[in-house]
Amino acid sequence: MGGAPRNSATGKVEDKPLAPRGDLRVITPTGVVAAHGHRLRLGRDPSNDVVLDHPSVSRFHAIIEPRDDGWVLVDTSTTGTYCEGSPVHERILSQHRTSFEMPRNGVPVEVIWDTEGFSKPVSEAAGTGFPSSAPIPAVDELGRLTHVTQIGASQSFTIGRAPENDVVLANDLAVSRLHAVLQVKSGVAVITDRNSFNGTFVNGVRVRQVSLSPGDIVSVGSATLRYIDGQLEQYEDSGAAWLTAESISARRGKAIVLRDVSLAIAPSSLVAVVGPSGAGKTTLMESLTGIVPPQYGTVRYGGRRMARDADEWRLRLGYVPQEDLIHGHLTIKQALDYAARLRFPPDVSEAARASRINEVLSELGIVHRANLSISQLSGGQRKRTSIAVELLTKPGLLFLDEPTSGLDPGNEEHVTHLLKDLAREGRIVIVTTHSLSSLDLCDYVLFLAVGGHVAYYGPTKEAGRYFASHGWGETWPEVFQALDEQRRQDWADQYGRDSAYARYVATPLQRRQRADQPAPGPAAAHGRPSVARQTSILMRRYLAILAADRRALLLLLAQAPVFAFLIVLLFPSNVMLATGKAFDATMLIWLLVVAVTWLGTSNAVREIVKERPIVRREANVGVSMTAYYLSKAIVLTVITAIQTIVFITLAMLPQALPATDPSNVVSIATRGIVAGDQRLEIVFALLLVGWCAVAVGLLLSTLVKTSDQAMLLLPVILMAHVVVSAPAFAAPTGAVAVGALASSASWGMDAAAATVDLNMVRENFLSAVNSGTSGAQPPTTPQTGAQSSTDASGNSRAAWNHTIGAWASAVLALIALFVGASAAGLLLLHRQMSGRLISERQA
């Protein structure tokens, strides 16, 4: 559906002017601002192109934009815009002069439209940020030109956030203080990244050092720089760059879920994407953001491909899915602070981070809630907090999936008004929604029919007339019902023949056709942000979450003492002292191993899956999955180690080690194999068991899709450990033997048994039973209910011998299991997240 505009009657391609002819001047009491074919924003907020500093003027009062039929003024205020005493909602400006009041009896504004163009620069330019002697900047597809640095034949220019740089990007905290340097020698410009946190990009590729060709695009933080004609041009995309999609199509298996979707979304627009289930709304959102690159077609922002330059766009694009990507036990300020630490360079001061956080909170109207736990917020406040996280890096694009889902009508309208304000500040804001109650607040609406067909795209206020004129209803519910039921209707063809298609899709796309810049060939990819730093930040956040969730923390701390109490109830007196209680001693060691296995596995089994949406988004903004995994693994292994030490210490209080043989039939080991102290050696072996269990738990947490699945799988895994490690099996065979090789509980049992010389304890006991010299009775095996029998092969296990070889084999096996499970979990996490990341492939 892309291409040149078509005549709605004949279907033939027409030649139309690309913009209103001539230039525009806006005259206010404080000066004159000119526009050369681009939109102007007027209002009280300093970010506007025309700043009207008066209390009765709205922050974002009005927009003057070029259209096919001329310059148009659109009122976006709450106080109104008036022309000759009458309110103005949208007005085509007359040639040559139109006078307005903003609001009635407020600030007088005159707009002059000269169809021949102004031949001289405007020296009184106000509110644009340019010196009065400079010409008004032109607008490029990259955005609004804000600064030009002249480059000599042999010079060096530094780029960064610090004021001592030649090109200063002071307001962008994503930029490092000393970010990059541009050196020109013998006419050849070479840009070098100075080990910046978020990287330097040339034509979408992260580089360390590369030579520039005329027309190359350099991206530093949210700034876009173009090297051309001996100068470095600096552009601002916010409020100037368009988002375009050309013939986007996608399949899921054999079904086509998105079919030939083309869009042209103007700056500072709030766009709603609506349609029945199966219309492809989520797929379209994934295609536009680059989360899942479109299989066919191209998405561009500022004339540049989103999917191909994905790494560059990760901090310039905000994405808020339907589920809140925030940890409920943190306060708002804590959540934003950790997000800022992960996205901003380490050279950003704490004061600068706090200032940006307060700025975002003020913008969203939740600064008074900053120290409140997120779990205590209303649905609307939680949604604003999710948006706040994305606004930290000042993205020019903001995507929200069902942002009003689950909100009451009051909160829904409030959130929609908030999104409209965010768009007026210079962003493109796109939302998918099933709700129709706040649709009229959106600037544009895209209706998708089942099968991913475009049924309509254009101004929301024109959508009702469009559908009514074709007999599809006069209310939104009627239109929605028609889109759902009339599945055989060729909605796309009907829309393609309408003048709305030419006006809002074909013509804007034709204006913005742009050749892609080639990627630099010999550039070396730059390293990512420090894994060690990110691990430290994520560990602190994880600990803060654990500390804030007091109920879960109490249960976590209580597990080890409760388990120890139960063990003491089973074995209240010493069973390790004499061989007469060898069966009880065996069962005690086994239960210690099983309990520690439970502690480690249960601690970890939900920790990744419950945060999967958060992990996915953080991977998209550059958080290392290695750092994320390590933050979980380190904290959990420390917690499990503490639990294990407390548990073993308390559970073994009634027991005496080393064991003794009162009948002196055979001497029993009185020392550990390596440590000397048998208790220390048992604790060491069980620490390894617990750490293996943590690694297995994290692996399981990456395999399952929900927390419920993880908890259902937990007892199955524990039962498997119980079966293959049970000491009643003197010599495991068959499937049990194979399972024992992969069981940390089985190897842990071997290591602890070797330490206490369990073979000798059991042999002395059974010898005494057979000779009738002991009062002990043969134990009853839990498997058969029969008295245990002993022989050379049935009673002893080589793995339980009190030798360095037996003990070392078990310990090395535990270490191998820990490393293997950790590597598998980390690899699986990387693969899963890379499948959902903004791909670097060309769309």
Side-chain angles (χ1 to χ4, degrees):
M1 290 175 63
R6 296 175 290 184
N7 184 289
S8 60
T10 66
K12 295 181 179 180
V13 175
E14 295 183 322
D15 290 326
K16 287 191 176 183
L18 299 184
R21 187 179 178 189
D23 293 338
L24 192 84
R25 284 180 177 178
V26 179
I27 304 173
T28 72
T30 57
V32 180
V33 178
H36 299 287
H38 66 280
R39 88 166 28 188
L40 292 177
R41 297 174 297 165
L42 298 82
R44 192 178 73 251
D45 193 275
S47 66
N48 287 287
D49 304 289
V50 181
V51 180
L52 306 174
D53 189 11
H54 192 279
S56 64
V57 175
S58 297
R59 287 181 63 204
F60 304 98
H61 199 101
I63 294 173
I64 300 175
E65 62 182 2
R67 297 185 183 173
D68 295 339
D69 48 1
W71 289 93
V72 178
L73 182 139
V74 181
D75 178 73
T76 59
S77 70
T78 57
T79 56
T81 299
Y82 292 81
C83 180
E84 298 177 354
S86 299
V88 173
H89 300 293
E90 183 170 311
R91 183 187 181 99
I92 299 176
L93 303 180
S94 61
Q95 303 174 13
H96 291 274
R97 182 184 297 264
T98 309
S99 298
F100 298 95
E101 290 179 333
M102 299 183 180
R104 184 194 292 271
N105 300 322
V107 178
V109 176
E110 283 193 332
V111 180
I112 303 175
W113 176 10
D114 188 334
T115 58
E116 299 302 322
F118 299 116
S119 58
K120 297 180 180 180
V122 182
S123 61
E124 305 91 348
T128 62
F130 289 88
S132 60
S133 59
I136 297 301
V139 172
D140 188 88
E141 187 62 21
L142 296 171
R144 193 184 315 283
L145 179 62
T146 59
H147 189 77
V148 176
T149 301
Q150 298 298 326
I151 299 175
S154 180
Q155 287 184 284
S156 177
F157 297 88
T158 57
I159 303 169
R161 198 178 72 251
E164 60 265 26
N165 288 284
D166 300 297
V167 179
V168 181
L169 305 172
N171 296 323
D172 189 350
L173 295 184
V175 176
S176 298
R177 283 181 55 83
L178 305 174
H179 198 104
V181 60
L182 178 65
Q183 294 177 304
V184 182
K185 296 181 179 179
S186 303
V188 178
V190 177
I191 191 162
T192 304
D193 184 84
R194 300 179 68 175
N195 198 30
S196 66
F197 181 75
N198 284 313
T200 301
F201 298 84
V202 175
N203 297 334
V205 176
R206 189 167 184 155
V207 300
R208 187 184 303 277
Q209 184 179 78
V210 69
S211 299
L212 298 180
S213 301
D216 279 348
I217 306 299
V218 179
S219 296
V220 175
S222 62
T224 299
L225 311 171
R226 180 169 66 173
Y227 173 68
I228 191 169
D229 296 333
Q231 60 188 20
L232 197 63
E233 301 172 342
Q234 183 176 331
Y235 292 86
E236 175 188 296
D237 62 356
S238 181
W242 285 61
L243 177 67
T244 62
E246 301 174 54
S247 302
I248 298 299
S249 298
R251 291 178 178 269
R252 291 293 181 269
K254 296 182 179 180
I256 299 177
V257 293
L258 211 60
R259 191 185 299 268
D260 199 24
V261 176
S262 293
L263 299 170
I265 302 176
S268 303
S269 297
L270 173 59
V271 181
V273 180
V274 298
S277 297
K281 299 185 297 297
T282 300
T283 303
L284 176 62
M285 185 73 82
E286 292 175 342
S287 296
L288 293 177
T289 59
I291 290 177
V292 178
Q295 294 163 312
Y296 309 96
T298 305
V299 179
R300 286 184 171 89
Y301 178 59
R304 302 171 59 208
R305 290 195 177 199
M306 294 282 289
R308 192 191 71 172
D309 303 342
D311 195 21
E312 173 191 343
W313 294 111
R314 58 188 174 85
L315 294 180
R316 304 171 73 173
L317 177 153
Y319 178 61
V320 182
Q322 184 174 348
E323 51 210 323
D324 293 323
L325 302 186
I326 42 180
H327 295 91
H329 295 289
L330 297 177
T331 66
I332 295 177
K333 184 170 286 187
Q334 282 179 316
L336 266 64
D337 183 62
Y338 286 118
R341 290 175 184 272
L342 290 170
R343 302 182 189 202
F344 294 157
D347 57 27
V348 173
S349 67
E350 185 175 348
R353 277 198 316 273
S355 176
R356 178 56 188 156
I357 290 170
N358 288 332
E359 182 182 346
V360 170
L361 294 178
S362 299
E363 186 177 7
L364 298 178
I366 50 175
V367 67
H368 62 292
R369 301 281 187 179
N371 295 312
L372 197 64
S373 172
I374 292 171
S375 61
Q376 297 177 313
L377 301 177
S378 67
Q381 290 168 342
R382 285 198 302 272
K383 187 60 63 178
R384 279 184 279 172
T385 303
S386 294
I387 296 172
V389 171
E390 298 302 311
L391 293 184
L392 287 171
T393 54
K394 300 182 180 181
L397 290 170
L398 184 61
F399 296 86
L400 302 99
D401 191 5
E402 299 285 353
T404 59
S405 177
L407 302 183
D408 59 68
N411 267 321
E412 178 181 339
E413 184 175 359
H414 186 82
V415 169
T416 306
H417 275 291
L418 169 66
L419 298 177
K420 192 175 182 71
D421 288 341
L422 293 176
R424 292 293 174 265
E425 293 172 3
R427 302 177 183 90
I428 291 177
V429 181
I430 302 176
V431 301
T432 63
T433 181
H434 280 96
S435 175
L436 303 176
S437 58
S438 300
L439 201 58
D440 291 329
L441 295 174
C442 299
D443 300 310
Y444 295 88
V445 61
L446 168 65
F447 279 95
L448 289 174
V450 174
H453 299 270
V454 175
Y456 171 83
Y457 171 70
T460 308
K461 61 187 176 183
E462 296 182 18
R465 294 195 297 269
Y466 170 83
F467 285 110
S469 67
H470 290 282
W472 300 115
E474 298 182 356
T475 65
W476 295 133
E478 290 175 335
V479 172
F480 206 90
Q481 184 177 2
L483 290 171
D484 191 24
E485 295 179 352
Q486 301 295 328
R487 302 197 173 203
R488 295 187 178 182
Q489 166 69 22
D490 194 344
W491 296 97
D493 183 67
Q494 175 181 285
Y495 173 65
R497 293 195 304 268
D498 195 272
S499 60
Y501 170 77
R503 183 172 184 179
Y504 300 115
V505 179
T507 300
L509 284 179
Q510 185 184 42
R511 292 179 186 173
R512 285 158 186 86
Q513 288 179 346
R514 180 186 179 91
D516 293 320
Q517 298 289 75
H526 195 282
R528 302 295 176 179
S530 167
V531 171
R533 179 177 180 271
Q534 288 191 350
T535 302
S536 173
I537 295 170
L538 291 169
M539 285 175 58
R540 280 177 280 165
R541 184 180 71 179
Y542 188 22
L543 290 171
I545 294 169
L546 291 174
D549 190 355
R550 295 181 181 179
R551 182 176 299 178
L553 182 62
L554 181 62
L555 291 174
L556 189 69
L557 295 176
Q559 282 189 85
V562 169
F563 280 19
F565 175 72
L566 295 175
I567 293 294
V568 171
L569 283 181
L570 283 174
F571 306 101
S573 60
N574 176 41
V575 298
M576 304 295 289
L577 180 63
T579 56
K581 297 181 179 180
F583 178 75
D584 289 340
T586 304
M587 294 303 296
L588 172 60
I589 294 175
W590 178 60
L591 288 176
L592 294 178
V593 173
V594 170
V596 171
T597 301
W598 166 268
L599 289 174
T601 310
S602 62
N603 286 346
V605 76
R606 294 175 61 248
E607 291 307 296
I608 292 178
V609 66
K610 72 180 183 182
E611 294 183 350
R612 193 181 299 273
I614 299 176
V615 179
R616 183 174 298 146
R617 179 59 191 143
E618 290 186 338
N620 252 351
V621 297
V623 174
S624 164
M625 288 299 93
T626 300
Y628 177 81
Y629 184 90
L630 287 176
S631 71
K632 293 289 186 182
I634 293 172
V635 170
L636 289 171
T637 52
V638 171
I639 290 174
T640 303
I642 294 172
Q643 289 177 316
T644 300
I645 293 171
V646 170
F647 168 62
I648 299 300
T649 301
L650 295 178
M652 293 290 286
L653 283 177
Q655 312 305 323
L657 280 176
T660 60
D661 176 23
S663 59
N664 294 317
V665 177
V666 178
S667 62
I668 298 176
T670 59
R671 296 175 57 83
I673 297 172
V674 175
D677 189 314
Q678 289 182 337
R679 289 178 183 269
L680 289 179
E681 205 164 275
I682 290 175
V683 168
F684 175 73
L686 294 187
L687 282 176
L688 291 179
V689 170
W691 293 341
C692 284
V694 167
V696 170
L698 290 175
L699 174 59
L700 294 176
S701 195
T702 61
L703 287 171
V704 297
K705 294 183 178 180
T706 66
S707 294
D708 290 340
Q709 290 179 358
M711 296 310 294
L712 289 173
L713 195 57
L714 178 60
V716 176
I717 297 299
L718 183 64
M719 183 56 66
H721 281 297
V722 168
V723 169
V724 301
S725 65
F729 290 102
T733 58
V736 174
V738 174
L741 295 176
S743 170
S744 56
S746 179
W747 289 109
M749 181 68 193
D750 290 348
T755 292
V756 299
D757 200 3
L758 192 58
N759 278 337
M760 281 298 176
V761 172
R762 288 159 61 91
E763 181 178 334
N764 292 349
F765 165 66
L766 292 171
S767 297
V769 170
N770 293 333
S771 65
T773 60
S774 171
Q777 296 299 316
T780 300
T781 63
Q783 285 75 17
T784 65
Q787 287 185 334
S788 63
S789 61
T790 179
D791 56 38
S793 62
N795 180 47
S796 300
R797 293 193 196 180
W800 293 359
N801 289 334
H802 189 72
T803 64
I804 185 66
W807 183 85
S809 296
V811 167
L812 290 176
L814 287 170
I815 294 173
L817 285 175
F818 174 73
V819 173
S822 298
L826 179 57
L827 179 62
L828 187 59
L829 181 64
H830 271 285
R831 289 188 174 181
Q832 288 178 345
M833 292 302 110
S834 65
R836 300 293 299 177
L837 285 177
I838 297 177
S839 174
E840 296 182 2
R841 293 177 299 160
Q842 189 167 340

